[in-house]
Amino acid sequence: MLSRRSFVLSGLVLGGTALAGCKTAPSTYEYAELTYTHLPPYNLLVRDVVVDQSYVSPAKSPNVEHLFDISPAQASERWARDRLYPQGNNNVLNFVIKNAAVTESKLEQQKGLTGLFTYDQSERYSGVLEVELQILNDQGFNEASVTARAERSVTVAENIKLRERERVWYKLTEDLMTEIDRQLQQGIAKHLSHYVL
């Protein structure tokens, strides 16, 4: 009988729900849940899939990912849950979330008369997402691995409302995950094909 998947989290996952009090005002915007069940699953010759949440958000400025309703770390974990299926063997697949930071930086705005009549781009959000798939044997040694890294940034205007800002954050997470998915698919095909049924 095939073993049921288990997802073990190491570290701390900081979601937007837990820190909702940090937001200046509540939002009523409903987000589509980021899922990956529409993509083909990977049936792997491993006995278990372990999610290692190595990245711990500092939960303070300049970082903002802890304010997201769906953070890059949460989306990465969901990707692993939706796409990686153990089908038996002595190996373990370790899915390591190494970096999932989004930082905010202030942009210089126009001054004087021009600044009074224009809305400048006031903040830039820069996201970095890095994950690694590791095939560990029964002695804990790494037999094969695949790393994926994505970087994206976006700017917002000074008059942006909270709901619009949250949409920007959601899209940033979505774009990071699209690139991570692309790289992981290529990497699995190239480096982990012997472990895929």
Side-chain angles (χ1 to χ4, degrees):
M1 187 174 185
L2 298 180
S3 63
R4 185 178 177 182
R5 292 184 304 162
S6 63
F7 290 85
V8 181
L9 295 179
S10 302
L12 183 63
V13 180
L14 294 174
T17 304
L19 295 174
C22 296
K23 295 183 180 180
T24 56
S27 171
T28 58
Y29 182 66
E30 294 293 330
Y31 297 94
E33 189 176 5
L34 283 178
T35 63
Y36 305 94
T37 52
H38 63 287
L39 299 172
Y42 287 103
N43 294 305
L44 300 160
L45 289 172
V46 297
R47 72 171 187 271
D48 206 356
V49 174
V50 176
V51 175
D52 181 357
Q53 183 61 264
S54 293
Y55 175 74
V56 179
S57 173
K60 62 181 181 180
S61 181
N63 288 68
V64 293
E65 68 274 358
H66 58 286
L67 303 177
F68 286 23
D69 286 288
I70 303 172
S71 71
Q74 291 170 321
S76 298
E77 181 190 341
R78 184 59 184 262
W79 187 94
R81 183 180 302 149
D82 286 351
R83 300 209 66 190
L84 305 176
Y85 287 82
Q87 299 296 331
N89 201 329
N90 291 326
N91 298 319
V92 170
L93 188 145
N94 196 28
F95 183 86
V96 187
I97 303 173
K98 304 175 78 171
N99 195 353
V102 181
T103 56
E104 178 187 78
S105 56
K106 301 295 182 182
L107 301 177
E108 186 175 350
Q109 299 180 31
Q110 296 186 66
K111 299 178 180 179
L113 192 60
T114 302
L116 293 175
F117 296 98
T118 60
Y119 289 116
D120 292 333
Q121 297 295 295
S122 57
E123 289 96 21
R124 173 179 287 109
Y125 295 104
S126 301
V128 179
L129 182 56
E130 184 175 3
V131 303
E132 184 177 6
L133 297 181
Q134 304 169 342
I135 300 291
L136 307 179
N137 63 24
D138 55 0
Q139 295 182 336
F141 292 109
N142 192 341
E143 291 190 351
S145 64
V146 171
T147 300
R149 179 184 172 88
E151 297 185 34
R152 295 288 184 273
S153 66
V154 62
T155 60
V156 297
E158 60 184 313
N159 64 329
I160 192 171
K161 293 181 170 50
L162 175 62
R163 183 160 63 175
E164 294 166 343
R165 191 184 302 268
E166 289 177 336
R167 286 174 177 166
V168 168
W169 289 345
Y170 178 90
K171 183 65 165 54
L172 181 60
T173 296
E174 190 176 40
D175 289 347
L176 286 167
M177 284 305 304
T178 296
E179 177 59 18
I180 288 293
D181 177 74
R182 185 190 69 80
Q183 291 184 30
L184 287 179
Q185 289 191 68
Q186 291 181 347
I188 290 171
K190 184 175 181 180
H191 300 291
L192 304 184
S193 60
H194 295 307
Y195 301 92
V196 179
L197 292 177

